[in-house]
Amino acid sequence: MPLLSSTLSSSSRQPFVLLQSSIAQSCLPVLSYITNQAALGSGTTLLFCFLYPPLAFADQPHEQLRVFDWTEHIPGYSEDTFEARAEILSALRSAPQGLLSVIIDSVDTLLSDVGSLAKTHLFLSEIYATIRARSSPSRLVLHVLGPSPIIPILTQTKFSPTLAHITAHPSVLLTHIASEYLTPPPPASPPEKFWRVFLPIAERYYESEKLVFGQDGEGCGGRDFVVEVLVRGADGSGRRRGVERVLEGWADSRSCDLTGLESLKSLWTRKAAEESGPDPTQNLSFNLNLTPQQQHSRAQVPLPYAHEGKPSEHTAMLVTQGAILYDPDSADDIDDDDPDEDLDI
């Protein structure tokens, strides 16, 4: 089962899921999938909307889904004195016993309302501790728009020893890396080589924004995109400390392999053409290919420079004794006398 599908499943034992979007690519379809899966499962789901309206997540109302639409409450612009942290804690305490899923969209908007990074961190830690006290697989799902100062804090093991970090990337980023750095995504290239090139470029958000919104950008809003999945810990128990990172695709409201993305098909066809290579015998005025009968006849032709027969007895004796045969040239000055006989040595 693909890593992304097992992580998004309502039965997943990952208690903390962090969804990361960017200006170039939104992770909203994945968040909508998680919301509907949680609402269809057992237990209670609390959805707190700060950025997007509820209609962007839930396809239809569910009995287990409680929605809190706070998109109109903006500090400094609303007449009422609204305190989001107190309202969220109150909703958590009044939630029925049993499984509980808390989804917050988005954390950077909540951070802007609170106005303090430390206070937001402590508040989210309190929420996470409340969820961990519930029966498994209760979990906390946070959506954040990167780059945000809250992301490095939420990904630390101090906040949660287990983590499912899902980041959305535009497909054009992979095609750019494949053409400019000659490093297509796996399986077209080794994973170790690809990650060394991909991660530094993906962390520079302006690279993706330039590819999408630049002068030659392809624009956003595509039907499919790339999802980077980083999973730390096997389940909620935290017994396994391994880290696994993969790239998968998202198309038609579900996860898929990268080879299934329509926007990346050019990478695989290009790789297949490079492996087959050009045929040097094409577009020639003569035929270089021989039939088996022609190859057999060609092998029967004697070569004029091949030495046939056995060597003579004299030649064999000289070769055996290791003699040196020398035929002097007409210009050679051969004199048997000692050229230094007049010297008194």
Side-chain angles (χ1 to χ4, degrees):
M1 187 176 185
L3 184 61
L4 180 59
S5 298
S6 61
T7 303
L8 300 183
S9 173
S10 58
S11 59
S12 174
R13 294 187 175 273
Q14 283 287 349
F16 177 46
V17 179
L18 178 63
L19 301 178
Q20 181 176 341
S21 299
S22 64
I23 298 178
Q25 183 59 60
S26 174
C27 201
L28 187 60
V30 183
L31 182 58
S32 176
Y33 178 85
I34 294 178
T35 304
N36 289 279
Q37 288 294 314
L40 293 175
S42 58
T44 304
T45 301
L46 304 180
L47 173 61
F48 300 97
C49 300
F50 289 92
L51 183 60
Y52 293 100
L55 292 178
F57 305 98
D59 298 334
Q60 55 186 355
H62 301 278
E63 295 181 358
Q64 296 85 356
L65 178 62
R66 297 180 57 187
V67 179
F68 300 86
D69 186 6
W70 295 337
T71 55
E72 296 181 358
H73 294 278
I74 304 175
Y77 293 89
S78 302
E79 296 180 358
D80 55 342
T81 57
F82 176 76
E83 177 57 40
R85 289 176 293 176
E87 295 292 337
I88 292 177
L89 293 178
S90 176
L92 287 176
R93 298 188 186 101
S94 61
Q97 295 297 322
L99 300 181
L100 178 63
S101 298
V102 177
I103 303 174
I104 299 179
D105 168 60
S106 66
V107 177
D108 49 292
T109 307
L110 176 63
L111 171 62
S112 177
D113 294 347
V114 175
S116 172
L117 184 62
K119 292 181 180 180
T120 305
H121 176 219
L122 293 176
F123 174 63
L124 294 176
S125 300
E126 185 178 357
I127 296 178
Y128 187 56
T130 304
I131 295 176
R132 292 301 303 271
R134 295 291 188 109
S135 57
S136 181
S138 299
R139 63 180 175 179
L140 172 64
V141 181
L142 301 180
H143 181 216
V144 62
L145 180 64
S148 175
I150 197 67
I151 295 178
I153 298 177
L154 296 177
T155 55
Q156 292 179 0
T157 56
K158 182 179 180 181
F159 182 82
S160 174
T162 60
L163 169 68
H165 189 185
I166 301 173
T167 308
H169 300 285
S171 302
V172 66
L173 181 62
L174 294 190
T175 58
H176 171 72
I177 294 176
S179 60
E180 297 296 329
Y181 298 90
L182 303 179
T183 309
S189 63
E192 297 79 7
K193 176 183 177 182
F194 173 77
W195 289 115
R196 286 197 300 266
V197 177
F198 174 79
L199 290 178
I201 298 177
E203 292 176 355
R204 301 194 293 264
Y205 293 91
Y206 62 86
E207 291 278 357
S208 299
E209 295 175 8
K210 181 176 63 176
L211 294 173
V212 174
F213 304 110
Q215 183 177 0
D216 300 326
E218 298 185 1
C220 62
R223 295 179 300 175
D224 53 19
F225 54 92
V226 179
V227 179
E228 177 188 351
V229 185
L230 185 146
V231 175
R232 182 177 66 217
D235 50 35
S237 62
R239 291 173 295 180
R240 181 180 171 186
R241 301 298 180 180
V243 177
E244 186 175 0
R245 187 195 301 267
V246 297
L247 273 184
E248 297 185 22
W250 186 271
D252 298 329
S253 301
R254 61 180 180 85
S255 62
C256 63
D257 294 334
L258 288 180
T259 54
L261 292 181
E262 187 71 23
S263 56
L264 296 182
K265 281 190 174 181
S266 60
L267 296 181
W268 320 122
T269 55
R270 183 188 311 169
K271 182 63 178 179
E274 292 176 355
E275 291 178 352
S276 60
D279 187 2
T281 63
Q282 290 183 351
N283 302 324
L284 296 179
S285 59
F286 50 89
N287 185 17
L288 292 178
N289 298 321
L290 300 178
T291 63
Q293 184 179 0
Q294 291 173 338
Q295 294 179 358
H296 178 72
S297 301
R298 180 179 179 180
Q300 300 301 323
V301 177
L303 300 178
Y305 52 82
H307 299 282
E308 298 180 355
K310 298 181 179 180
S312 61
E313 296 181 358
H314 178 68
T315 304
M317 180 184 64
L318 294 178
V319 173
T320 304
Q321 297 177 354
I324 299 177
L325 302 180
Y326 175 68
D327 187 12
D329 191 79
S330 59
D332 291 344
D333 184 12
I334 300 178
D335 193 350
D336 294 337
D337 296 336
D338 185 3
D340 300 328
E341 62 182 357
D342 56 338
L343 300 178
D344 185 11
I345 299 176

